[in-house]
Amino acid sequence: MQSERNISSIVKASVGVAAILLNAITNGLPRAESAPISKSISECQELLRTGQYEECLAETSAAIADRSYGEEWPVLKTQCELATGRYEEAMQTIAAGIERYSWSVRLRMLEHQAAMANGRKEQAAEALTNIEKLVSSASWRYTDADDLVALGQAALVLGADARDVQEGFFDRARRNFKTRPDGVIAAGHLANQKGDFEFAGEILLPAIELFESNPELLFEASEALKSSGQEASAELLKKTLEINPRFAPAMHRIVEQRIDSEAYQEAIELLEQVFAVNANSPEGHALRAVIYHLQYDSDGETQSLDAATKYSGPNAEVLHLIGRKLSQKYRFAEGAAYQRRALEIDPGHNDSRIQLAQDLLRLGEEEEGWKLAEQAYETDAYNTTIFNLLQLRDGMQKFVSLESEHFVVRMDAHEARVYGSRAVELLESAYQAMVDRYEFVPEGPIILEMFDRKDDFAVRTFGIPDVAGFLGVCFGKVITANSPATRRDSPANWESVLWHEFCHVVTLQMTSNRIPRWLSEGISVYEERRKDSRWGQRMDATCRDRILNADNAVTPIRELSSAFLNASDGSDINFAYFESSMVVEHLVNEHGLKTLIAILNDLNTGLSINDALERHTGGLEGLESSFATYLRAEAERYAPGVSFDSDDIPESALANPEVLESFVKENPNCYPAVLISADISAEAGHVSEAEKSLLRLITLVPDDSSTSGPRKQLAALYRQQGRLQDEQAVLQEHLNHTADDLAATLRLQELALSSHENALTHEQDESKSEVLSMVVQLGYQVMAIDPFQTAAVSRMADGAEALNDRSSAIMALTSLLQLRPDDGARLNYRLGLQHEESNTDEAKRFALKALENAPRFREAHRLLLKLHRHDKSPESSESQQEPNEESAGN
């Protein structure tokens, strides 16, 4: 429309409305006289702030009927009517208000909001046109905080650059009116909308002290901290509802959280509270539609969607909200379908375009996904989600792709040459194992993207940087993972991560992403442990005590998904993974793998998890009971009679070795006390006492896998004494229980190599072979944690060559080419030797590469000549003469 283009030109950047306002403020032009703030208006504002909408509505209605002067009266009344779903009445209030306060831009913006709520798009556009006229004719009226905010909101609706609006309107409102919350809330809200949570926090958090009773500000601050400070965010959300128990955005957020944790009945009960305030809430009915969709109630979903659009008619915001929540539940295809519907209604709805782009990228539909991302950025360059995503794409263009029968692995070129082949080999192994086991062939090719920067992984996975705590994520056909380069400060076994994530590929695709989180995670951890008993979450002291604790920290099966959402720290998350895996283990032990497969197939047909469990296990209640018994028995089996509670140790014992010794004698099964006592004994030179204590702890807790436990202390003790064989034995035992201890793995490989050298001295051939095999195997274990450990990979290569283990030697030498580029000539030559018998062409290629690095490298010349002779006929070969040393070097 022509009017929209006119006003858009006024509100954008530093021209039009923004320029007029800035000029008016600079020159100190007077403001139109307004009615003084009365006590009754303040009281009504307080009623609105605390959610007493009916009382506020009655008071403002009476004031308007009495002809009390001031635009605040119809503004407050309209806000109450919108909050309580009286959308048609709001239009009448606004019309009467504008008739009396025709200069009010706040009422015009409320008119736009109410008109959109009632589906009157032409009137909504006209309201913006009238704002343009008002500002063009009398800009000096509109320099107060609330007017600046209203004008900024108008500018955003018309497509003005969000940064210009932030600077020209909202920032000016908060800087010039520091005792008013209007500008702070508007600026923080806009930053949150654009995914700029860090900036939102910078604006909002310092303002809490000044406006601690403002629910809007507290809610926006809670939103800003959602990803970076969940506990603080939850506390702010709680405070918001303490001030205003009926504040709709906060109520909607809690409903969303219940949906996320699969507590659908709780979500429905909370929605009833929403509808008690506003029976026509579009957001409330949209969230109810989400629940119905997840419960496979298509009639309920349709009815809720109709209720959500009862007044507004076709509504892109409603469709976007439903689709966004479905995508957050990993139902990306269904979420994408809703975003497409939203864009059909409103092709300019950029939030839907951004969400659709992300959904498609997670579904592996990359061409359309990236195209939509570019279009979204052209529309809104301020949106940090889309900005970060496109920045990431530019970086990913430097990735290389490794393709196999079922996978496409994308990663940094340097990393690909170091361990890429190992990653592909592992994935293909997982594919074969899981496809056979679960009798399901996933759609491919399956894409794995390995990121060597944590923020890149977070952006690709979550749309925002700085998200900690995730090693990998699977969307169904696409896996994203942090590379081992991102974990060098806290190493973790990346091979177990890839195995875990591929298990998700199977279970997500097998159920069309209809599997609850606890079951999907539980199967993945369970299958990790089946592959390698050292992988995945296992019973440990923390898990044992949580299970046996009188408070019973075990979550009922029917509520297990909420354990992931409600976790307050890493320990809670780990226990959620562990408990979920133990449910799966118990289920398979008691009812068989076929039952688990049948449950997954039922989920794919739309049956709920609880109904599927009822159907195949003889009743959920019985499963809950048998699992509780099973889990408790497993906990009691772990270190029976041992206490792991350090609180049992008196402070006096920690301060006085003699008191500690006395305490240990009286409490010989207090694990932390004995461990501390052993450490003190070792430092005091009482080696035999320390050794005795540590050996006893190992006997008491044989499955201890901690990196600071008695085995590690005992190994350190033996090392100090020069008892290298004993050190080697205890480290080997330790590594039978953990696959993540890089330091121990490196040390054991060093010791194994020393044993090899000792075997060489004594000419013990059998021992030499065994030790070299250990060196190679430990090399694999090191690479599974940190493939950039040059010395360990070098030892592995040497050992593999000595054993004539060509595949291991080739892998290790290929890695070393990247890790030790300055030794390229020698490494290429060695690779040529490894290919000599199996692939003459490859052997020649490596020999030539060696000569490129060192043209006078005689051994490489000899290898090349030897390979050349092999290509000749037998007659020609007989006529060839062995080159002398001088000719080989020229």
Side-chain angles (χ1 to χ4, degrees):
M1 294 174 63
Q2 182 65 37
S3 61
E4 290 184 1
R5 286 198 295 271
N6 288 341
I7 191 167
S8 180
S9 66
I10 287 176
V11 296
K12 286 186 179 180
S14 297
V15 297
V17 171
I20 293 170
L21 287 171
L22 296 178
N23 185 58
I25 295 167
T26 302
N27 294 323
L29 295 177
R31 194 187 192 289
E33 183 179 352
S34 60
I37 298 176
S38 67
K39 181 179 178 181
S40 56
I41 285 179
S42 298
E43 289 175 345
C44 288
Q45 289 172 331
E46 181 67 10
L47 292 172
L48 179 69
R49 183 184 69 83
T50 55
Q52 301 176 69
Y53 302 129
E54 288 77 10
E55 294 88 336
C56 182
L57 188 57
E59 292 291 337
T60 53
S61 297
I64 291 171
D66 289 343
R67 301 290 294 172
S68 297
Y69 186 80
E71 65 171 325
E72 194 68 25
W73 294 117
V75 166
L76 286 169
K77 185 171 183 287
T78 302
Q79 289 172 331
C80 288
E81 288 165 338
L82 292 174
T84 55
R86 296 174 169 91
Y87 302 130
E88 293 175 345
E89 291 92 326
M91 293 299 299
Q92 298 170 13
T93 300
I94 290 168
I98 289 175
E99 184 176 352
R100 189 172 186 188
Y101 311 105
S102 59
W103 44 264
S104 173
V105 293
R106 295 174 64 201
L107 281 170
R108 299 287 182 181
M109 267 313 295
L110 281 172
E111 180 185 15
H112 175 271
Q113 182 182 348
M116 291 299 292
N118 283 285
R120 303 180 189 179
K121 295 183 180 179
E122 290 185 3
Q123 185 175 351
E126 185 179 357
L128 299 177
T129 302
N130 288 327
I131 289 175
E132 173 191 9
K133 293 176 181 178
L134 289 169
V135 175
S136 298
S137 62
S139 62
W140 47 269
R141 287 183 181 271
Y142 308 111
T143 59
D144 203 357
D146 46 17
D147 288 334
L148 287 170
V149 168
L151 291 174
Q153 291 169 342
L156 289 170
V157 173
L158 288 163
D161 184 274
R163 288 191 180 90
D164 291 334
V165 172
Q166 190 76 278
E167 182 179 348
F169 294 99
F170 300 157
D171 282 356
R172 188 162 296 278
R174 65 189 181 93
R175 285 197 304 265
N176 291 358
F177 300 92
K178 294 182 179 179
T179 60
R180 298 276 297 276
D182 310 63
V184 177
I185 294 170
H189 176 70
L190 179 58
N192 279 331
Q193 277 189 318
K194 301 304 179 182
D196 196 353
F197 301 116
E198 183 178 355
F199 181 53
E202 291 174 5
I203 294 170
L204 294 160
L205 297 179
I208 290 176
E209 186 175 352
L210 187 60
F211 307 111
E212 61 183 357
S213 63
N214 188 296
E216 289 181 84
L217 190 143
L218 293 179
F219 174 73
E220 293 297 340
S222 171
E223 292 289 281
L225 293 173
K226 272 194 307 184
S227 60
S228 61
Q230 293 183 358
E231 189 172 344
S233 176
E235 184 62 28
L236 287 168
L237 189 61
K238 177 183 176 183
K239 289 182 179 178
T240 300
L241 288 170
E242 287 173 356
I243 296 167
N244 182 352
R246 308 172 83 193
F247 187 65
M251 295 175 74
H252 299 154
R253 183 64 67 240
I254 292 182
V255 171
E256 289 192 45
Q257 291 174 355
R258 296 297 182 272
I259 292 173
D260 293 340
S261 62
E262 298 169 18
Y264 300 132
Q265 186 55 44
E266 288 183 33
I268 289 172
E269 291 171 2
L270 286 167
L271 282 173
E272 291 305 318
Q273 298 178 33
V274 171
F275 296 138
V277 179
N278 180 358
N280 302 312
S281 168
E283 296 86 352
H285 287 294
L287 291 172
R288 188 150 197 171
V290 171
I291 297 172
Y292 281 131
H293 183 101
L294 296 171
Q295 294 179 329
Y296 313 103
D297 185 345
S298 58
D299 290 339
E301 182 180 1
T302 300
Q303 291 170 9
S304 290
L305 183 56
D306 289 343
T309 57
K310 175 181 178 181
Y311 288 91
S312 68
N315 189 322
E317 277 293 330
V318 165
L319 296 170
H320 167 66
L321 172 56
I322 296 173
R324 175 174 63 80
K325 289 309 300 178
L326 290 177
S327 294
Q328 288 176 354
K329 298 296 292 181
Y330 276 48
R331 309 283 274 273
F332 302 112
E334 295 145 77
Y338 264 101
Q339 303 306 338
R340 292 190 189 279
R341 290 172 63 182
L343 288 168
E344 287 174 4
I345 293 170
D346 181 2
H349 198 263
N350 213 43
D351 287 344
S352 292
R353 186 176 290 108
I354 292 170
Q355 184 64 51
L356 180 57
Q358 291 181 286
D359 288 343
L360 294 177
L361 291 173
R362 289 162 179 161
L363 289 166
E365 298 177 28
E366 297 176 345
E367 183 176 354
E368 185 183 1
W370 287 121
K371 183 178 179 180
L372 284 167
E374 290 172 351
Q375 293 173 359
Y377 181 72
E378 290 172 3
T379 301
D380 182 5
Y382 179 32
N383 190 287
T384 58
T385 297
I386 211 67
F387 174 80
N388 289 332
L389 201 57
L390 289 174
Q391 288 284 102
L392 171 65
R393 182 191 62 174
D394 293 342
M396 288 180 63
Q397 289 177 350
K398 300 175 184 177
F399 278 15
V400 297
S401 292
L402 307 176
E403 298 187 12
S404 63
E405 183 179 358
H406 303 105
F407 295 89
V408 175
V409 177
R410 296 173 183 151
M411 58 198 309
D412 171 77
H414 168 71
E415 294 202 1
R417 296 185 188 101
V418 174
Y419 67 95
S421 62
R422 179 69 177 166
V424 173
E425 181 184 340
L426 180 87
L427 287 169
E428 286 291 352
S429 174
Y431 184 97
Q432 192 60 54
M434 293 294 291
V435 166
D436 291 347
R437 181 167 165 78
Y438 284 84
E439 302 171 2
F440 177 80
V441 178
E443 179 187 353
I446 298 152
I447 299 169
L448 166 66
E449 295 172 351
M450 296 279 283
F451 295 95
D452 58 339
R453 295 181 66 253
K454 290 181 180 179
D455 280 352
D456 288 348
F457 163 77
V459 168
R460 177 67 173 93
T461 307
F462 307 106
I464 55 175
D466 196 26
V467 179
F470 292 86
L471 299 177
V473 172
C474 176
F475 300 112
K477 188 178 177 182
V478 176
I479 299 170
T480 59
N482 274 304
S483 90
T486 68
R487 299 284 302 178
R488 302 203 73 183
D489 292 337
S490 53
N493 192 298
W494 60 267
E495 291 187 356
S496 70
V497 172
L498 295 192
W499 195 277
H500 178 107
E501 297 306 330
F502 178 73
C503 293
H504 282 312
V505 171
V506 173
T507 56
L508 288 173
Q509 288 201 31
M510 198 172 176
T511 61
S512 299
N513 287 42
R514 294 170 177 172
I515 185 172
R517 181 175 180 183
W518 75 262
L519 183 56
S520 186
E521 298 292 3
I523 291 173
S524 285
V525 175
Y526 167 68
E527 291 295 342
E528 276 188 86
R529 289 201 300 265
R530 287 193 70 256
K531 168 63 178 173
D532 189 323
S533 62
R534 304 169 305 154
W535 287 2
Q537 281 77 6
R538 288 148 290 150
M539 184 72 74
D540 60 14
T542 301
C543 292
R544 188 204 74 162
D545 285 354
R546 290 181 72 131
I547 295 165
L548 300 180
N549 192 296
D551 295 336
N552 195 358
V554 178
T555 305
I557 296 173
R558 67 179 71 246
E559 300 172 12
L560 246 180
S561 287
S562 66
F564 292 90
L565 183 71
N566 299 331
S568 59
D569 54 30
S571 177
D572 286 348
I573 283 285
N574 279 329
F575 189 74
Y577 278 103
F578 170 72
E579 184 187 346
S580 298
S581 73
M582 295 300 285
V583 174
V584 173
E585 183 172 290
H586 175 62
L587 184 63
V588 173
N589 288 345
E590 290 294 308
H591 301 280
L593 179 63
K594 293 290 186 183
T595 294
L596 179 59
I597 292 173
I599 289 170
L600 295 175
N601 289 331
D602 279 353
L603 293 174
N604 189 48
T605 66
L607 203 65
S608 73
I609 179 59
N610 289 346
D611 288 343
L613 289 172
E614 286 275 359
R615 181 177 180 181
H616 293 286
T617 66
L620 182 56
E621 185 175 341
L623 182 64
E624 292 271 18
S625 176
S626 64
F627 172 65
T629 301
Y630 169 74
L631 189 62
R632 188 171 187 87
E634 289 296 306
E636 290 171 343
R637 191 175 294 118
Y638 183 90
V642 177
S643 169
F644 293 97
D645 193 349
S646 58
D647 292 340
D648 292 343
I649 308 173
E651 290 186 14
S652 57
L654 295 174
N656 189 324
E658 293 181 0
V659 176
L660 178 63
E661 183 180 354
S662 175
F663 177 81
V664 167
K665 286 181 180 178
E666 295 175 4
N667 301 273
N669 289 357
C670 181
Y671 178 97
V674 177
L675 200 61
I676 295 170
S677 176
D679 188 48
I680 292 173
S681 295
E683 287 185 1
H686 303 148
V687 175
S688 60
E689 293 179 15
E691 180 181 9
K692 181 179 178 181
S693 296
L694 292 170
L695 286 170
R696 185 168 184 279
L697 280 182
I698 292 170
T699 303
L700 286 173
V701 194
D703 294 326
D704 190 338
S705 61
S706 60
T707 58
S708 58
R711 289 192 179 94
K712 287 296 292 291
Q713 285 201 21
L714 186 59
L717 191 67
Y718 289 151
R719 183 175 186 176
Q720 292 169 5
Q721 293 180 286
R723 296 166 59 180
L724 300 187
Q725 287 186 336
D726 289 334
E727 180 191 1
Q728 183 174 345
V730 76
L731 282 178
Q732 181 62 67
E733 189 180 350
H734 170 64
L735 290 177
N736 288 336
H737 293 85
T738 179
D740 297 315
D741 194 334
L742 178 62
T745 312
L746 289 169
R747 176 59 181 164
L748 186 57
Q749 193 193 40
E750 292 174 5
L751 290 170
L753 189 61
S754 296
S755 298
H756 166 62
E757 293 168 351
N758 184 58
L760 284 176
T761 302
H762 294 85
E763 298 182 354
Q764 299 169 346
D765 292 336
E766 183 178 345
S767 175
K768 286 188 293 184
S769 177
E770 289 178 1
V771 172
L772 283 175
S773 295
M774 180 183 292
V775 170
V776 173
Q777 185 57 42
L778 288 165
Y780 276 114
Q781 292 183 33
V782 169
M783 292 192 74
I785 306 170
D786 183 355
F788 309 105
Q789 293 288 335
T790 304
V793 179
S794 181
R795 289 191 288 265
M796 177 185 179
D798 294 342
E801 286 174 316
L803 289 168
N804 202 25
D805 180 356
R806 287 192 176 86
S807 63
S808 296
I810 289 170
M811 192 201 76
L813 290 168
T814 302
S815 298
L816 285 173
L817 273 175
Q818 293 300 306
L819 300 174
R820 285 199 331 225
D822 56 331
D823 195 21
R826 176 63 59 179
L827 292 169
N828 276 301
Y829 166 70
R830 292 167 68 183
L831 278 164
L833 290 176
Q834 293 302 316
H835 285 286
E836 180 181 355
E837 293 184 11
S838 60
N839 191 330
T840 303
D841 289 340
E842 275 293 278
K844 284 182 179 180
R845 185 172 70 86
F846 282 112
L848 288 169
K849 280 183 170 291
L851 291 170
E852 284 179 11
N853 293 116
R856 298 178 62 83
F857 188 5
R858 293 180 178 180
E859 288 90 341
H861 277 289
R862 290 193 182 96
L863 175 61
L864 194 59
L865 288 171
K866 183 179 179 183
L867 293 168
H868 182 69
R869 283 200 307 271
H870 288 170
D871 288 342
K872 299 292 184 179
S873 64
E875 293 78 10
S876 299
S877 179
E878 289 175 2
S879 66
Q880 294 289 331
Q881 296 181 1
E882 183 71 22
N884 60 38
E885 189 171 333
E886 282 301 316
S887 65
N890 292 326

